[in-house]
Amino acid sequence: MLGLNKKDLGVLLLVALLAMAAPILLNPFPADSGMAQFNAGYPDLMQRFVIFGIFAIGYNILFGLTGYLSFGHAAFLGVGSYSAVWMMKLLSMNVIPAILLSVIVAGLFSVVIGYVSLRRSGIYFSILTLAFAQMSFNLAYSVLTPITNGETGLQISLSDPRILDGANAPSYPNLFGAQMNSAATIDVGSWSFTFSVGYYLCALLMLVAFYISIRIFRSPFGLMLRAVKSNQQRMNYTGLNTKPYTLAAFVISGMYAGLAGGLLAAMDPLAGAERMQWTASGEVVLMTILGGAGTLLGPVLGAGFIKYFENIFSKINDNVLHGWFSFMPDGIEDFIITIIHPFVGKGWHLTLGLLFMLVVIFLPGGLVEGGQRIGRLFRRKKADTNTPDGTKTPAE
Amino acid sequence: MNILEVKNVNKRFGGLQALGNVNLNVAENTVHAIIGPNGAGKSTLLNCLVGKLIPDTGSVMFDGRSVLGRKPYEINQMGISRVFQTPEIFGDLSVQENMLIPCFAKRDGAFALNGYGSVGSQRDVIDKAEEMLVEMKLADKRHMHAASMSRGDKRRLEIAMCLAQDPRLLLLDEPTAGMARADTNNTIDLLKQIKEERDITIAIIEHDMHVVFSLAERITVLAQGTPLVEDTPDNIKGHPKVREAYLGESQDAA
Ligand SMILES: Nc1ncnc2c1ncn2[C@@H]1O[C@H](COP(=O)(O)OP(=O)(O)OP(=O)(O)O)[C@@H](O)[C@H]1O
Ligand SMILES: [Mg+2]
């Protein structure tokens, strides 16, 4: 079905199911319980999960398949956001033209940057992409202020022309009238679940993006991209021109980044230069490697993992810790909290960094490899106890 | 008819004259060996044929067309395939995927944005790759990681990948270097069989005289970047200049 084999279809359906049920699955704790702060099922955060999922899925097509490590993909994210906001200022608050333009502009932008950067490979390619992204960041901050509104960031305002919108059109990003921030909250007992238009639009686009990435992975084009990573010399002497292959992968991943940037702006109509900074480029590299570069699911997992950390782990402050460890004698309680303190709250980067190191050292295939190992362990146990069917390959 | 004509090719590396006035004609559908001591310029000559190096002067014509100034992938698409001194394969891919790539290159050309259909749905390419795997006795290894094969199998895979493109000229750079005697003999049989079964010209660089005299119809001896003689194997064996420059010790070893 859908041109996918059984295994890939299974993965796609699983992701679809998780994405659709996320508002419920991510809110496992009752709203008034002490654990409620670990609930991630609110629209703003869920949107970030899937938007950065799109960003990482696209980045994985370049880095995971061809091995070209770009340190500048945030530039395309930023360009996507600026384009989307401009579209909402000039044309319409409907997000469709905004998202379309962000993909197109990011695509064009990545043709130029890709064409120049791909003249080199390895570390020189990485440095070139980094230089381009920092250049874009600085331009957005200074010279291009008329377009980017510099430090303040580009915002919508009531005086914008919006030539396609009528007098009664919504003044917030919307999809044919349905506003991105409109949501329905359903209470079940002491649990509370929020379903928002914005999240479901992002989730649907993420599924489309994921589906396209599966098709690319399984296509002859995807095979060629993996060949680029493996041995460019052999490719050249097999009659294959590697340049357009790498450029195509670069542009596709740039368009994914543009889509992600456009969606960020569609959910919250403003765009700032900091979106293009090198830390943002580094983040998508981390997501992809942490989840598992070159695997289908890895980037999605990595994006979710890092965004969860950034938003949830960072909220654990000393008060929360005192609440948790209050059952202990005072001296020990303070001691334990002193030890944990640097790793939580503002120190969440430290924990993430340690986790990242552990994954790179012990699980070079990322979280996906971790999952596969656990899966294999279970299968082997099962095979040992009763069934002989322990040899099936684990799902990706 | 000559399929390959090399005229007055010179190549310098700084102060070193790696190739000096090289002339070489390879007749269609023959096996032509290029021999010579280490550093004679054999690999350099091959590099000039496939676009890896550009000669300082001279001309290289393949099938009546100049190869000079063309990129390696263009020269390959003209019909020249090369097997390297150390096997160049796609180590990260499976043996079957390795085989598929030249088949796609032959069908779709140097670049195709073929991102929609799955690899598995391209029956013609899958069948062609399978045919080659069977012919080269690699079929039982099709799901193996190419990097984990033995050196002999890697070399065989590389030859298979080149043959899958139906090249008109196959260039082999020391295909038996570092091989055990048994593997060397297998390679000789394989190359003989390839030559019998298809219209192909083979140019082979080789140090092992046993291989050279088993396969070659003509031999060019290169020394210090210049062709010393070109003749049939029988005449080369007895040629005093060749014995002096090169053969003496090698024949004892073989
Ligand atoms: N890229 C290069 N730059 C500088 N010098 C080179 C280069 N390639 C080859 N040479 C030199 O040119 C000479 C010829 O080298 P070449 O590799 O063609 O010899 P060969 O006949 O293939 O030898 P072997 O039998 O050892 O493979 C050698 O002296 C080598 O050091
Ligand atoms: Mg050599």
Side-chain angles (χ1 to χ4, degrees):
Chain A
M1 207 173 82
L2 292 170
L4 302 182
N5 65 30
K6 264 207 191 110
K7 204 171 114 187
D8 292 340
L9 190 66
V11 173
L12 179 67
L13 288 179
L14 179 75
V15 172
L17 204 75
L18 292 177
M20 289 303 129
I24 299 169
L25 296 174
L26 292 176
N27 263 2
F29 308 111
D32 49 4
S33 73
M35 299 295 277
Q37 58 189 316
F38 291 108
N39 281 341
Y42 52 96
D44 184 52
L45 181 54
M46 288 192 300
Q47 283 159 13
R48 271 166 197 279
F49 284 165
V50 289
I51 290 174
F52 281 89
I54 293 174
F55 191 15
I57 289 169
Y59 187 75
N60 190 39
I61 291 173
L62 176 69
F63 174 58
L65 290 181
T66 71
Y68 275 80
L69 179 61
S70 161
F71 273 125
H73 261 52
F76 309 126
L77 188 83
V79 166
S81 286
Y82 282 123
S83 314
V85 175
W86 268 113
M87 228 38 191
M88 290 190 281
K89 285 169 91 68
L90 297 178
L91 269 191
S92 161
M93 270 298 183
N94 192 324
V95 295
I96 300 267
I99 290 171
L100 279 181
L101 189 77
S102 60
V103 175
I104 293 170
V105 173
L108 293 175
F109 201 58
S110 54
V111 170
V112 177
I113 293 188
Y115 184 81
V116 178
S117 305
L118 287 166
R119 319 207 96 202
R120 290 280 169 274
S121 61
I123 187 76
Y124 300 102
F125 167 81
S126 304
I127 298 293
L128 279 171
T129 52
L130 178 64
F132 269 115
Q134 282 306 88
M135 230 160 71
S136 315
F137 165 71
N138 282 312
L139 285 177
Y141 239 113
S142 54
V143 185
L144 294 179
T145 300
I147 302 176
T148 60
N149 203 21
E151 266 180 69
T152 327
L154 192 62
Q155 288 163 334
I156 51 171
S157 86
L158 282 176
S159 57
D160 290 333
R162 274 195 273 288
I163 48 177
L164 293 185
D165 280 358
N168 303 323
S171 61
Y172 199 80
N174 63 84
L175 184 66
F176 304 112
Q179 291 199 21
M180 288 300 123
N181 57 352
S182 66
T185 300
I186 296 172
D187 292 316
V188 181
S190 49
W191 282 269
S192 168
F193 305 117
T194 308
F195 303 88
S196 83
V197 173
Y199 169 71
Y200 277 99
L201 175 69
C202 293
L204 271 180
L205 287 174
M206 188 272 278
L207 288 175
V208 173
F210 187 57
Y211 171 71
I212 294 174
S213 120
I214 300 182
R215 294 296 295 245
I216 290 176
F217 264 62
R218 301 298 179 231
S219 71
F221 175 67
L223 179 65
M224 293 304 171
L225 296 186
R226 289 196 293 139
V228 168
K229 183 178 183 177
S230 183
N231 190 342
Q232 291 211 30
Q233 161 125 315
R234 184 23 93 200
M235 267 192 106
N236 284 324
Y237 293 97
T238 306
L240 293 160
N241 189 359
T242 51
K243 280 248 173 71
Y245 280 108
T246 46
L247 184 61
F250 193 91
V251 173
I252 292 170
S253 69
M255 289 166 82
Y256 269 76
L259 172 63
L263 281 174
L264 279 178
M267 296 305 118
D268 184 6
L270 88 185
E274 74 288 343
R275 227 163 247 181
M276 297 182 155
Q277 216 174 355
W278 64 273
T279 45
S281 295
E283 197 179 51
V284 74
V285 181
L286 292 193
M287 287 171 176
T288 310
I289 294 178
L290 190 68
T295 63
L296 284 174
L297 265 182
V300 187
L301 288 179
F305 199 85
I306 287 184
K307 283 295 151 192
Y308 186 83
F309 249 78
E310 180 184 301
N311 289 279
I312 305 292
F313 224 71
S314 60
K315 279 193 213 148
I316 307 175
N317 55 27
D318 282 1
N319 284 338
V320 178
L321 289 177
H322 277 291
W324 287 354
F325 295 106
S326 58
F327 63 92
M328 292 183 168
D330 266 356
I332 299 182
E333 182 189 332
D334 287 344
F335 178 67
I336 290 187
I337 290 174
T338 314
I339 291 183
I340 299 182
H341 175 83
F343 294 95
V344 297
K346 287 195 182 107
W348 68 273
H349 278 117
L350 184 58
T351 314
L352 187 67
L354 287 173
L355 270 175
F356 185 74
M357 275 165 24
L358 288 178
V359 165
V360 170
I361 294 169
F362 296 106
L363 287 175
L367 297 174
V368 166
E369 188 187 334
Q372 284 174 345
R373 285 203 197 166
I374 293 171
R376 236 172 285 152
L377 214 65
F378 271 101
R379 263 172 247 268
R380 202 171 307 143
K381 267 197 194 136
K382 230 183 178 175
D384 286 348
T385 47
N386 44 25
T387 58
D389 183 36
T391 49
K392 267 191 193 160
T393 49
E396 249 174 64
Chain B
M1 201 203 100
N2 291 330
I3 193 163
L4 183 73
E5 294 184 349
V6 178
K7 279 208 185 78
N8 295 323
V9 161
N10 283 280
K11 182 76 197 173
R12 291 191 82 89
F13 295 118
L16 176 79
Q17 182 89 32
L19 294 177
N21 268 330
V22 174
N23 288 288
L24 174 73
N25 291 324
V26 177
E28 199 165 3
N29 287 328
T30 59
V31 178
H32 194 121
I34 299 163
I35 63 172
N38 288 104
K42 305 181 296 295
S43 295
T44 304
L45 177 59
L46 227 55
N47 288 339
C48 288
L49 305 183
V50 296
K52 191 168 184 171
L53 289 176
I54 300 169
D56 301 333
T57 60
S59 72
V60 178
M61 305 290 281
F62 172 71
D63 199 21
R65 290 191 294 162
S66 174
V67 306
L68 298 187
R70 290 180 207 261
K71 299 256 166 58
Y73 74 87
E74 294 172 314
I75 295 173
N76 173 277
Q77 292 279 359
M78 287 167 76
I80 303 181
S81 285
R82 170 173 184 183
V83 173
F84 284 81
Q85 202 161 337
T86 40
E88 292 279 355
I89 53 173
F90 300 107
D92 302 331
L93 307 185
S94 75
V95 171
Q96 185 187 34
E97 286 167 335
N98 267 273
M99 221 42 247
L100 287 169
I101 287 169
C103 296
F104 276 119
K106 173 144 179 75
R107 192 191 71 177
D108 298 340
F111 172 72
L113 200 54
N114 193 350
Y116 195 67
S118 74
V119 169
S121 67
Q122 328 267 317
R123 281 304 348 156
D124 52 334
V125 169
I126 299 264
D127 290 346
K128 169 85 188 173
E130 189 58 30
E131 199 182 291
M132 282 310 299
L133 286 176
V134 171
E135 183 183 338
M136 302 294 279
K137 304 193 177 64
L138 288 165
D140 52 330
K141 302 196 168 70
R142 71 171 75 74
H143 294 303
M144 212 166 150
H145 200 60
S148 61
M149 290 199 300
S150 72
R151 198 189 152 101
D153 281 343
K154 281 182 190 162
R155 161 109 313 134
R156 217 196 344 230
L157 175 61
E158 196 185 11
I159 295 175
M161 288 163 71
C162 287
L163 288 178
Q165 299 190 289
D166 295 323
R168 300 192 50 209
L169 175 61
L170 179 65
L171 304 174
L172 301 154
D173 197 347
E174 302 194 29
T176 67
M179 271 190 188
R181 181 92 284 177
D183 272 342
T184 302
N185 287 333
N186 286 339
T187 308
I188 293 174
D189 293 342
L190 177 69
L191 292 173
K192 275 186 177 155
Q193 182 196 341
I194 290 167
K195 188 70 200 51
E196 263 164 37
E197 285 173 359
R198 47 191 104 206
D199 290 333
I200 193 170
T201 312
I202 299 179
I204 180 172
I205 292 178
E206 188 54 76
H207 278 298
D208 187 332
M209 288 306 124
H210 172 57
V211 179
V212 171
F213 289 121
S214 311
L215 290 169
E217 293 155 66
R218 282 197 83 77
I219 299 178
T220 297
V221 183
L222 214 59
Q224 288 163 358
T226 317
L228 219 53
V229 273
E230 191 204 306
D231 216 325
T232 59
D234 286 337
N235 293 342
I236 291 283
K237 264 182 205 166
H239 203 290
K241 250 167 128 186
V242 176
R243 296 187 81 100
E244 180 192 310
Y246 184 64
L247 273 180
E249 44 187 292
S250 292
Q251 221 174 22
D252 296 341

